[in-house]
Amino acid sequence: MTPRRITLLRRFAVAGAALVLGGTLLWAGARPVGDAVTRPAVAPSAGMVAQGAAAFEGAAFGGISVAALERSALPWRLVAAALVLDEQARDPATRIEPATLSRILARFGFLTAAQVVNRPPGVGIRPGGMPLGFTAGDVAPIGGSIVRVANLGCAACHAGIAYRADGTPDPSRAVLGMPNTSLDLEAYTMAVFVALRRHVDGDRLLPTAAALFPDMGARERLSLRLLVRPLVRQRLADLRDAERPLPFPNGTPGTTNGVAALKAALNVPLIGGGRGDVGTVSIPDLGARLWRTRLLADGAYGIPGEATRATTRDDLTPAHRAALARITTFFTVPSMGVHPDAAIDALADADAVLAFLAAYRPAPFPGAVDLPRARTGAALYARHCAACHGDYRLEGRRARLVRFPNWIGDVGTDPLRATAFDTALAMAVGRSAYAGRIDVATGSGYAAPPLAGLWASAPYLHNGSVPTLDTLLTPARRPIRFQVGGHALDIERVGLRLTPDGAYPAGYRPFAHPAWLDARQPGRGNGGHSFGTDLSDTDKQALIAFLKLL
C-alpha cells in the first residue's frame, strides 16, 4: 500500500470517528468502490457493441472509489457548490440552480446539453443528470456515510459535438468516438481548486450543495459536513503553498497530459518538478484505432510478443482486440486515478468498449465535397501519405482503410512529448501489475496514426499546434498563436475557422471558452511534418478534398 493511500485511510478514520460521535450514523459496511449511476441501461437482447457504447458513455472503470479521490476523482456535491458560489461572487445576479452549474461546466468544453446521436440500438438515455463524459456514483468511506464521487470517463475526451453543413457547431448533438477538441482540463482543474479554496470554510457551501441537489438525504448531508468538508480542508492545507493543484499543466483545449499524470501516479520524477513536463497530446478521433499494434502518440504501449507490423482487416481478430483491451484498462491509471493493481478489474468493460470501437465509423464530413477533385486527391494521398498513414480505398463519398503500416519514426515535430515518456517511466510501468500485459518501448519518435475522422480532429500534429490541413501543408502559413476551444469549422481549409491573426471571426460566439495556443512555448512547437508541402496549390486542394472523406 502506498504512503498516500495510508494517509488517506488515516484521514478517513479520524473523520469517521467524528461522524459516529457527532451524529447517529452507526451502521457498518464501508463501501470503498461504487458503481456508476451515469451508465445508460442496455436492453437484455442487445449485444456487446451496445454494452460497449454504454460503458464508453458512463461506466465507472474503478474510478468511483475512495482511492481515486486522492488523485483524480472529486466529491461532486461540494465541488459543484463551490463552483456556483464562485460564479455568484463574480456576478451577484447568478442563481443557485443546476442551470448555473451546467453553464459553468460548458465553458470548459463539457457537453452539458448534447444528445448522443450514434448510440447503438438497445442503449438507453444516460441517467444521472451529469454532463456527457462524467461518471459518478456513491461510495461509503466508513459505514453509514454517503459521498457522491465524480470522475471523467471515456466520453469526456472522446465524444465531440456535431457540425452543420456550413461548419457552425451544433452543441445539441454529440458523437461518441469523436474528439472533444474543446475540453479544457487545465482551466477546469484550476477553477475547482480556486473555488474550493475560496469557499470551503464559508457558511453557504453546504446550503448551496443542498439547494443544487435536493435529492440528498440526511445521511449524505451529514457526510458532507462531518466527513467530506474536513477532508477537503486538509487536502487544501497540504497545498497551502502551491499555485496549482497538480505539479504539471493539463494542456490547452483539446489536449491532455497523460504522461505527466502517469508519472505522478507511479511516483516517477517529473521534468522540472512538473513545470517542464508539458508533453501534451491532441485528442484523436477513435476511428480505425484497433488497426494499431502499439498505442499512445509515440507507440510506447505494445502488445506483448507482437512485432510492429502492417495490419489488414484480417488481423483484427478477437485475440488482437483482447490484447488492446488489456492495455486500454491501464489508461484509467493516469486519467481516473485508479491504482495499477485495480485497473485490470475493468477488463470486462474494456472488452465491450473495444467491441463498440470496432463497429464505430466516424461521422461524415458535414460540408460539401468536390468528388472529382477528391478522386485526384486519392492518387496524391497514395503517393505522398499512405506509406505512413495507411492505404485507403475510395468508396463513393467515403474512404475505407484497407492496410495500416503502423509506422513509427521522427518527422521533425516537437520532440518533448516523445522524450517525456522516458526510461524511468517505462521501468515503472514494467514494475506494475501490467508487467506482461504491456510491452513498453521508448525513443522511436511518434506513431503515424490512422486518419479516420481527420476533419473532426483539428488542430493537427500530435500536440495540436497547427489549426488547419491547409496550414499543415503550407508551413509558412502556420500561425504562431491561435485560439482553440469552441471553434467553428473551416469547410475549405478543414480545421479551426480563424482570422489571419489566429483569432475567431468577429461576431462568432464560441460554445466553450477559448484559450490561446502559443507555438513558441515548450512542447507546443508547430514545425516538422513537411510531407506534401512541395505540392502545388491545386494538388493541395485536391488532397484536402480527399482527406475530407476519411
Side-chain angles (χ1 to χ4, degrees):
M1 186 176 293
T2 66
R4 293 183 72 187
R5 293 181 72 186
I6 292 172
T7 300
L8 184 63
L9 291 174
R10 286 174 178 166
R11 290 176 184 171
F12 276 128
V14 173
L19 183 65
V20 173
L21 293 173
T24 60
L25 300 181
L26 303 176
W27 298 275
R31 187 158 53 94
V33 180
D35 297 323
V37 299
T38 46
R39 182 179 191 144
V42 179
S45 59
M48 183 73 92
V49 171
Q51 294 285 353
F56 190 93
E57 191 170 343
F61 291 101
I64 305 302
S65 70
V66 172
L69 278 170
E70 184 74 356
R71 291 175 174 160
S72 301
L74 297 172
W76 184 241
R77 313 292 204 191
L78 218 61
V79 166
L83 287 172
V84 171
L85 284 173
D86 218 41
E87 181 78 358
Q88 194 177 66
R90 287 187 291 270
D91 179 5
T94 297
R95 302 182 64 173
I96 305 296
E97 59 184 10
T100 298
L101 179 60
S102 293
R103 187 171 66 251
I104 294 167
L105 295 174
R107 291 185 195 139
F108 307 122
F110 292 112
L111 306 184
T112 59
Q115 297 298 314
V116 174
V117 298
N118 67 328
R119 287 191 186 100
V123 181
I125 302 299
R126 182 178 69 262
M130 302 287 281
L132 182 60
F134 274 73
T135 180
D138 297 329
V139 300
I142 62 169
S145 63
I146 300 177
V147 179
R148 174 57 55 91
V149 175
N151 212 324
L152 299 183
C154 307
C157 294
H158 296 290
I161 67 159
Y163 284 83
R164 304 180 182 93
D166 64 353
T168 55
D170 183 0
S172 69
R173 298 187 300 138
V175 181
L176 299 179
M178 274 179 54
N180 185 345
T181 54
S182 296
L183 180 63
D184 192 343
L185 293 178
E186 174 70 5
Y188 169 64
T189 302
M190 287 300 300
V192 169
F193 182 52
V194 170
L196 285 174
R197 267 186 165 174
R198 289 173 176 167
H199 302 287
V200 70
D201 291 319
D203 294 338
R204 298 182 60 209
L205 184 65
L206 296 182
T208 299
L212 287 172
F213 304 103
D215 59 318
M216 280 200 303
R219 276 198 295 163
E220 189 170 3
R221 291 195 298 270
L222 193 59
S223 297
L224 282 184
R225 180 164 62 88
L226 296 180
L227 182 65
V228 178
R229 185 153 74 167
L231 288 170
V232 171
R233 282 176 175 147
Q234 182 58 55
R235 179 62 175 151
L236 291 173
D238 293 343
L239 295 169
R240 66 172 60 88
D241 297 324
E243 298 177 357
R244 50 189 302 110
L246 298 172
F248 56 87
N250 267 309
T252 49
T255 63
T256 60
N257 197 352
V259 167
L262 183 61
K263 287 180 178 179
L266 299 183
N267 297 314
V268 174
L270 291 151
I271 300 171
R275 290 182 178 274
D277 228 313
V278 289
T280 53
V281 295
S282 183
I283 300 170
D285 191 287
L286 295 181
R289 295 284 149 165
L290 271 64
W291 292 67
R292 295 184 61 174
T293 59
R294 304 198 69 89
L295 303 182
L296 295 188
D298 55 355
Y301 294 165
I303 298 173
E306 183 169 328
T308 301
R309 57 180 175 79
T311 51
T312 67
R313 192 164 296 278
D314 292 340
D315 294 301
L316 308 183
T317 63
H320 176 78
R321 196 169 71 195
L324 291 180
R326 287 192 291 272
I327 296 174
T328 300
T329 61
F330 193 66
F331 292 164
T332 64
V333 175
S335 65
M336 303 181 78
V338 180
H339 192 275
D341 292 346
I344 197 65
D345 293 340
L347 185 57
D349 277 339
D351 280 333
V353 166
L354 269 287
F356 165 66
L357 293 180
Y360 166 71
R361 193 116 188 253
F365 183 72
V369 179
D370 186 329
L371 289 178
R373 179 178 286 178
R375 284 191 285 271
T376 300
L380 293 164
Y381 173 89
R383 291 198 298 272
H384 297 275
C385 311
C388 294
H389 293 289
D391 300 316
Y392 285 82
R393 182 172 60 234
L394 195 57
E395 299 176 351
R397 293 184 58 85
R398 298 301 299 269
R400 186 180 294 273
L401 185 63
V402 296
R403 180 182 179 276
F404 185 64
N406 279 295
W407 185 92
I408 301 176
D410 182 4
V411 294
T413 51
D414 193 300
L416 196 151
R417 164 58 187 79
T419 57
F421 201 115
D422 54 21
T423 301
L425 182 56
M427 293 176 64
V429 175
R431 290 191 299 268
S432 76
Y434 279 78
R437 294 185 171 110
I438 299 177
D439 173 48
V440 184
T442 62
S444 298
Y446 293 109
L451 300 183
L454 184 66
W455 69 265
S457 302
Y460 299 107
L461 295 185
H462 74 273
N463 58 0
S465 61
V466 177
T468 65
L469 292 180
D470 173 71
T471 50
L472 181 69
L473 293 172
T474 309
R477 291 204 290 265
R478 296 178 187 177
I480 295 298
R481 296 177 71 247
F482 61 89
Q483 285 186 295
V484 59
H487 66 272
L489 182 68
D490 189 316
I491 293 294
E492 297 304 318
R493 296 176 178 84
V494 184
L496 281 60
R497 187 185 297 175
L498 302 170
T499 62
D501 62 354
Y504 290 162
Y508 176 69
R509 297 184 62 184
F511 61 88
H513 190 74
W516 284 88
L517 185 145
D518 190 332
R520 295 166 296 191
Q521 297 299 313
R524 309 288 192 193
N526 63 3
H529 197 282
S530 59
F531 305 100
T533 59
D534 57 349
L535 295 173
S536 68
D537 286 345
T538 299
D539 282 349
K540 289 177 182 179
Q541 292 170 6
L543 179 57
I544 290 174
F546 172 71
L547 295 175
K548 293 177 181 179
L549 303 181
L550 301 185

